[in-house]
Amino acid sequence: MKYEYTVETEDLAKYYTMGPAIVKALDGIDLRVRRGEYLSVMGPSGSGKTTLFNMIGGLDRPTRGRVYIDEVDIAKLDAYELAWLRCRKIGYIFQTFNLIPVLTAIENVMLPMIFAGVPREERIKKATELLQRVGLGDRLYHKPGELSGGQQQRVAIARALANDPAIILADEPTANLDMKTGLEIIGVMRELNQEKGVTVITATHDLKMIDVSDRIVYLRDGKVERIETRREIAIETEEI
Amino acid sequence: MSAAPSLEIGKITLPFGEAFRIAMEDIRRRFIRMMITAASVILAVGFMDALLVLTAVGSAMGGQAASLKPFQLWILFISLLVCVVGIMNSMLIAVAERTREIGTWKCLGALDRHVLLLFLIEAMLIGLVGGIAGWFIGIITGLIYSFQPNVGIAGVTEALTSPSVIALPGLSFLPSIVSMLLLSLLIAISLSMIGTLYPAYRAAKLNPAEALRYEV
Ligand SMILES: Nc1ncnc2c1ncn2[C@@H]1O[C@H](COP(=O)(O)OP(=O)(O)OP(=O)(O)O)[C@@H](O)[C@H]1O
Ligand SMILES: [Mg+2]
């Protein structure tokens, strides 16, 4: 049987020209991510993690190469289709949480559903469920400024899941959190990954991520240095 | 990749009601700054209305329709221009400050026109508030300056309530004071929209990756 890949990149490259110099932020990345996989991208600062995240997430156009999401070449999508892809297929989680400051937790989670045209009743029901799922059932009407970093990141996770995306892209989701909170966030992401079968791709410096990842991609200077498979560990934990 | 499958692209929407509510929240949160932006509208419109009241009272005494002198029109034009520049300046700052937020909006599915819509609704509301306040202040100021012993309350009342002194095309049956309100709103909202259009357009066009990288 053929594997089904949620994300596939082919010779993906992104160069930035800074005056006379060319920065090769990504330089020929070939990556295949299976449906339901939890993939960590590690690498030193400047190795291209965020750039890769932007390319896969349809947030920027590559200099060369292709990105396929569910076998669709996203370079062929127009602005409207890309917005739809970002809204429905991908959930984003950021290092800085990036909640909309003027909206409450539940409104933040409902926002992607507004864009997707989900009726109001259903939006409220689903957003409430998601926030309860990430442990914030008692913080529905708090604004981001009234929540701790860890709580804000939980809201962001709930928001990322609002439209049942195929992929969650998380760029250093634990970098602004303390050790314990970071572990909790990683735990929630891993649980949701297994519960909902959503593919998780996360860029990280955080060694705590290694334990939960199915595979770890090491980037260096825009290239894949090596890939470590942790399938043995993943299968073990599933059996327990 | 052998086959070329395609996504079933559905609809992306931002209903006006939702956009309006979010714009209101934004204004509430940045209230003081919004009021400073509105102040430039208030000053420009207030100046216009004060001039109109002065001429209205003057011409009611002389018994003809009010009209501004060329140099008054010129000063008025300059003051409106200054107002647009002021609004554009503060909206450029507002947009810069919210660059990352705009990037986030786009990640959640916002189209360029949704970002534009949000900023324009805010502009409209600022124009609305500025227009009403400017009208009020302008009339008061105009009255204070036009008050002379020989005019009297009756003369002033006559000038402001009679329909013919200051009339809008097609709406000449309205009392002058109402015509002035409509004119003030029209000008205030237009100024605010014009001043916001360029910053909002720039915000809407931002590439999400760049917007997310932006450091304030
Ligand atoms: N918009 C840009 N313009 C110019 N150079 C850029 C731009 N974005 C990224 N770069 C460069 O590309 C390289 C990769 O950057 P990237 O942000 O992807 O690294 P990273 O692995 O995410 O680093 P960190 O761990 O610090 O977040 C860096 O050398 C960076 O300076
Ligand atoms: Mg990064």
Side-chain angles (χ1 to χ4, degrees), chain A residues 16 18 23 25 44-51 172 205, chain B residues 213:
Chain A
Y16 294 102
M18 305 284 284
V23 179
S45 186
S47 57
K49 300 183 296 297
T50 299
T51 311
E172 307 199 31
H205 286 300
Chain B
R213 256 174 72 87

XYZ file of all heavy atoms in Angstrom, chain A residues 16 18 23 25 44-51 172 205, chain B residues 213, ligand 1:
143
model
N 17.370 34.646 0.280
C 17.127 36.065 0.500
C 18.338 36.827 -0.004
O 19.467 36.439 0.285
C 16.951 36.370 1.989
C 15.711 35.765 2.610
C 15.792 34.620 3.397
C 14.462 36.347 2.401
C 14.655 34.073 3.968
C 13.326 35.795 2.973
C 13.431 34.667 3.757
O 12.313 34.123 4.324
N 20.489 40.005 0.414
C 20.730 41.119 1.329
C 21.844 41.950 0.714
O 23.018 41.685 0.954
C 21.171 40.608 2.705
C 20.222 39.615 3.339
S 18.758 40.421 4.001
C 19.441 41.141 5.473
N 21.505 34.975 1.132
C 21.352 34.083 2.283
C 20.504 32.899 1.840
O 19.377 33.074 1.401
C 20.657 34.809 3.455
C 20.493 33.863 4.635
C 21.433 36.045 3.862
N 18.456 30.513 3.090
C 17.734 30.125 4.303
C 17.296 28.669 4.207
O 17.325 27.931 5.187
C 16.538 31.037 4.507
N 20.127 24.691 14.886
C 20.558 25.914 15.557
C 19.820 27.136 15.019
O 19.194 27.075 13.969
C 22.051 26.000 15.238
C 22.273 25.104 14.076
C 21.213 24.066 14.109
N 19.902 28.221 15.731
C 19.281 29.467 15.297
C 19.813 29.850 13.917
O 21.009 29.770 13.666
C 19.601 30.551 16.323
O 18.910 31.717 15.998
N 18.912 30.217 13.041
C 19.306 30.610 11.694
C 19.426 29.457 10.723
O 19.808 29.645 9.572
N 19.083 28.237 11.167
C 19.241 27.081 10.290
C 18.109 26.966 9.272
O 18.179 26.157 8.357
C 19.322 25.803 11.129
O 18.175 25.684 11.940
N 17.038 27.760 9.443
C 15.973 27.772 8.438
C 14.645 27.181 8.905
O 13.746 26.962 8.094
N 14.495 26.957 10.200
C 13.274 26.332 10.707
C 12.028 27.181 10.407
O 11.037 26.671 9.886
C 13.386 26.113 12.226
C 14.551 25.206 12.631
C 14.583 24.951 14.122
C 14.818 26.195 14.967
N 16.133 26.838 14.743
N 12.123 28.457 10.763
C 10.959 29.316 10.534
C 10.669 29.465 9.046
O 9.510 29.489 8.623
C 11.183 30.702 11.182
O 11.361 30.517 12.583
C 10.020 31.628 10.952
N 11.725 29.534 8.261
C 11.539 29.652 6.818
C 10.818 28.416 6.271
O 9.883 28.543 5.467
C 12.906 29.828 6.122
O 13.629 30.862 6.797
C 12.733 30.195 4.675
N 8.410 26.797 17.378
C 8.940 26.976 18.735
C 7.839 27.303 19.757
O 7.912 28.334 20.436
C 10.016 28.064 18.738
C 11.076 27.765 17.702
C 12.376 28.505 17.956
O 12.683 28.761 19.129
O 13.075 28.790 16.989
N 13.839 24.191 19.570
C 15.174 24.018 20.142
C 15.071 23.055 21.310
O 16.045 22.709 21.934
C 15.664 25.332 20.768
C 16.080 26.368 19.797
N 17.095 26.167 18.901
C 15.640 27.626 19.589
C 17.249 27.272 18.186
N 16.379 28.168 18.573
N 7.164 38.299 11.009
C 8.545 38.551 11.426
C 8.730 39.929 12.036
O 9.717 40.189 12.713
C 9.454 38.502 10.190
C 10.275 37.282 10.029
C 10.979 37.365 8.677
N 12.047 38.346 8.659
C 13.292 38.106 9.014
N 13.636 36.912 9.416
N 14.213 39.035 8.962
N 12.983 38.068 5.493
C 14.279 37.743 5.539
N 15.193 38.522 4.937
C 16.494 38.190 4.974
N 16.992 37.109 5.564
C 16.153 36.301 6.199
C 14.740 36.562 6.220
N 14.144 35.571 6.903
C 15.111 34.740 7.303
N 16.324 35.170 6.882
C 17.595 34.497 7.106
O 17.436 33.139 6.790
C 18.102 32.309 7.712
C 17.146 31.337 8.346
O 16.238 32.042 9.179
P 15.099 31.338 10.020
O 14.306 32.403 10.640
O 14.395 30.376 9.151
O 15.951 30.564 11.127
P 15.430 29.709 12.383
O 16.005 28.360 12.224
O 13.964 29.837 12.492
O 16.132 30.465 13.564
P 15.626 30.689 15.070
O 15.854 29.398 15.775
O 16.508 31.761 15.575
O 14.201 31.093 15.000
C 18.774 33.222 8.700
O 20.131 33.383 8.317
C 18.027 34.517 8.546
O 18.862 35.607 8.813
